[in-house]
Structures are given as C-alpha cells and as structure tokens.
Amino acid sequence: MKKKSLSFHYRFKVSNREVYMNRIVAISSKLKYIGLLGLPMFFSDTLIWKYLWLFWLFAFVEIFTSFSTFVQALQQLIAIPYIYISHGFRLPDQNNYQPAIRYSLPFSGQWTAVNGGPDKKTSHSWSILTQRYAYDFLILDDNGQSCSGDKALLPNYYCYGREVLAPADGVVVEAIDKYPDSRTSGNGSVDHTAKDIRGNYIVIRHAAKEYSLIAHLLPQSIKVKAGRQVKRGEHIAQCGNSGNTTEPHIHFQIQDGKSFLASAGLPISFEGIETKPAKNYAKFDPRPVYEQKERDASTIQRGSCVGKME
C-alpha cells in the first residue's frame, strides 16, 4: 500500500510545465554544442561560422531555468580559494586528520556506494572541497539495477522511502524540508526545476569541527528540527529524490563547519561496517572500481556494498 500511495503522490506532483521545461532544457543542452562548428569564425569572416557560433546562446537556457542551483555551483567555486586560505593551504586528508567521531552508516540494510572514496581517484567531487569525501549511497539488486519497472516512477527505486538514520550522537543545526522531489528520467539527466542542490537536508553537529550533512531527503519526512539532540541510529528522515539528483539516493558527507559552501570536507571514519564488492556493479556504473591493497575496515569506496551482511 505504501508504494501505491507514493506513486500516486509523485504522478500528480509534476506539472505539465515542468515536463515541458525539462524537455526544452534537454534539447537546448545538446544544441549548444553545434556552436563548436562556429570556431572558424576566429579565422574567417564568412557569415555561416558566426551563425553557427550563436548556438552557444542555448547554454543560457540551462542557466536561467536552473538559476538557483547555478548560483550555488558558482558559490562553491568562489569558496574554493577561501577554504584553501582559511586552512593555511593544508586541507584535511587521511594522513593529517584524526576524526573526532567514528560514524555509523546513515541507513540500515545493504546499500552500495556509487560515488565516493578516501582518495582523488575515487572521490565524489575532489575539486569541490566541501564534497571531497562525500558519498552517494543507493540500493542495487544482484543484477546491478537500482529500480524495478518504470524508471520514471520514483517508488520503483529500491531505496526510495527507506529510513535515514543519524550517523552519530549530535545536535541538529539545520533541517530544511520545503522542496518537492525532482523528476527522474532514468537516463542520468537531472531535473532542471530543482531550487537547491541539496534538496531537503539535515546538518548535525557531532563535535567542535565535525558536522554531517545528509541530503536529497523525501519531502515531509524530516522528523527533527534545529536544536534537537539526536542519538546514533535514530530515524530522522526518509530517502527521497529532492534537489540536484539523477535518481533517489542518500548523499552523506562530513565537513568542518556548518556551511555547505565554505567548509572543508573531512575524511569519514566509519564504525562497525561490513563491505563486499557489489554484484554486477559495472552494469550500473562503467567507471573502474579500484581494489584497496590494504583494506581499511573504517573506509568505503565506490562499488562497495556496505551494511549488515547475511
């Protein structure tokens, strides 16, 4: 019954305007590359090259239809030199940072890390300093699939609606629950109507300079407010698809400040985790999966199935 009600909610949440807008943006994002054919305009005065170069104007369709997330992305880029300077050009890494807390997984059961790792080659977003050590988790079946049935229906994704748990004791400093789920098409594209990269999210202070951020939460599922103390393993929300996301998953990171834009990401030391290679992972993600020569029982990297193993 739960799946049917979620499906009903999702079907009628998306307006025709949003559907058409995403189609227009998808087409525009392809048309802009025709502008490459206009490069000879820098060497020739032939009018045809100038007309072809004008196709780059289609890029502004993407910018203006997703202006909020575009601004956030720009702010993250601007914050990079500030983060470097504020840390004396010595950013936290596995060699120089000693975590104050060892974290539990923010879910129960077996999930797969599809983005993230402790080093540059496995990183979620190495150049985006706040998200350098972030993880994206979702549930894959034995065939390497994240959903069953129509990929345009969110309730068909295995992780959609699953409980999100507090990764350690702490105090909630921010809890935002005002964004709808984003559409998913199942082809890796994002919903350009999203108003915030994180969607619905929770920030928890666990230590003086250790804050967790859990993002892309299900609308109206957040059970905590700012100022509330939480315990490790406490049910605090549900997995959704809000924000800048291609499909339902949990985004989890540890940062050294409250700010999503101006904090440095911290290497995450996990507690009591079990890992194994995800079955048929290459069917979901063609990127290479790297084996750890000396497996650290406190770290996770892309392609690992994590959680309580049977």
Side-chain angles (χ1 to χ4, degrees):
M1 292 297 293
K2 182 178 180 182
K3 271 207 166 188
K4 288 183 179 179
S5 63
L6 285 171
S7 180
F8 180 89
H9 170 77
Y10 179 68
R11 281 180 183 273
F12 290 90
K13 190 72 177 179
V14 181
S15 68
N16 287 333
R17 177 181 174 277
E18 291 173 323
V19 174
Y20 295 141
M21 184 62 70
N22 277 286
R23 287 177 182 171
I24 290 171
V25 173
I27 294 170
S28 298
S29 66
K30 294 178 175 62
L31 288 175
K32 70 184 180 185
Y33 291 111
I34 296 177
L36 288 171
L37 298 176
L39 287 174
M41 69 168 284
F42 294 105
F43 313 102
S44 170
D45 291 329
T46 305
L47 200 57
I48 184 62
W49 306 128
K50 295 181 180 180
Y51 283 138
L52 288 170
W53 184 255
L54 289 176
F55 273 85
W56 283 116
L57 293 175
F58 280 102
F60 287 97
V61 175
E62 290 183 90
I63 293 173
F64 290 123
T65 53
S66 54
F67 190 70
S68 298
T69 54
F70 170 76
V71 170
Q72 281 186 313
L74 190 61
Q75 289 174 320
Q76 288 185 101
L77 291 174
I78 294 172
I80 289 174
Y82 166 79
I83 296 172
Y84 270 112
I85 293 170
S86 64
H87 288 79
F89 293 92
R90 190 169 183 264
L91 298 181
D93 61 31
Q94 284 200 310
N95 297 319
N96 64 30
Y97 185 75
Q98 184 63 41
I101 305 290
R102 296 191 69 188
Y103 294 90
S104 300
L105 295 167
F107 47 76
S108 60
Q110 297 182 25
W111 294 52
T112 298
V114 295
N115 278 310
D119 50 35
K120 186 175 182 178
K121 66 184 179 181
T122 59
S123 173
H124 178 287
S125 304
W126 188 259
S127 60
I128 305 299
L129 304 182
T130 308
Q131 300 181 58
R132 174 167 284 188
Y133 300 105
Y135 286 94
D136 288 334
F137 294 104
L138 49 71
I139 297 175
L140 295 179
D141 60 25
D142 288 346
N143 197 38
Q145 301 299 309
S146 58
C147 76
S148 176
D150 187 348
K151 292 184 176 182
L153 293 178
L154 293 177
N156 288 343
Y157 288 82
Y158 301 125
C159 67
Y160 186 73
R162 295 288 292 269
E163 289 187 355
V164 173
L165 311 177
D169 294 353
V171 177
V172 177
V173 296
E174 196 171 7
I176 301 299
D177 191 358
K178 63 181 181 180
Y179 299 108
D181 275 323
S182 298
R183 287 184 79 243
T184 184
S185 59
N187 63 6
S189 61
V190 298
D191 185 344
H192 295 279
T193 63
K195 301 299 182 183
D196 190 288
I197 291 174
R198 299 158 291 185
N200 302 312
Y201 65 92
I202 297 172
V203 178
I204 304 172
R205 180 181 181 273
H206 302 285
K209 289 189 177 182
E210 286 193 18
Y211 295 74
S212 66
L213 167 70
I214 306 176
H216 308 314
L217 302 175
L218 186 72
Q220 301 177 15
S221 75
I222 295 180
K223 298 179 176 294
V224 295
K225 295 181 179 180
R228 160 83 183 277
Q229 291 189 333
V230 295
K231 295 292 184 181
R232 184 188 299 266
E234 181 180 342
H235 176 199
I236 56 175
Q238 290 170 256
C239 176
N241 195 54
S242 57
N244 194 54
T245 169
T246 59
E247 66 176 81
H249 69 280
I250 291 175
H251 176 97
F252 176 60
Q253 67 185 52
I254 305 297
Q255 55 199 46
D256 65 0
K258 177 181 175 180
S259 173
F260 173 65
L261 301 173
S263 302
L266 300 174
I268 305 174
S269 178
F270 289 98
E271 178 178 76
I273 59 171
E274 297 178 70
T275 68
K276 64 180 181 182
K279 292 183 179 179
N280 291 306
Y281 182 74
K283 291 184 178 181
F284 178 82
D285 180 1
R287 293 176 298 172
V289 173
Y290 302 95
E291 286 189 21
Q292 292 173 284
K293 294 181 180 179
E294 296 181 6
R295 177 164 289 281
D296 182 346
S298 69
T299 63
I300 298 169
Q301 67 181 32
R302 184 179 71 239
S304 295
C305 178
V306 298
K308 187 175 181 180
M309 304 301 167
E310 297 178 356

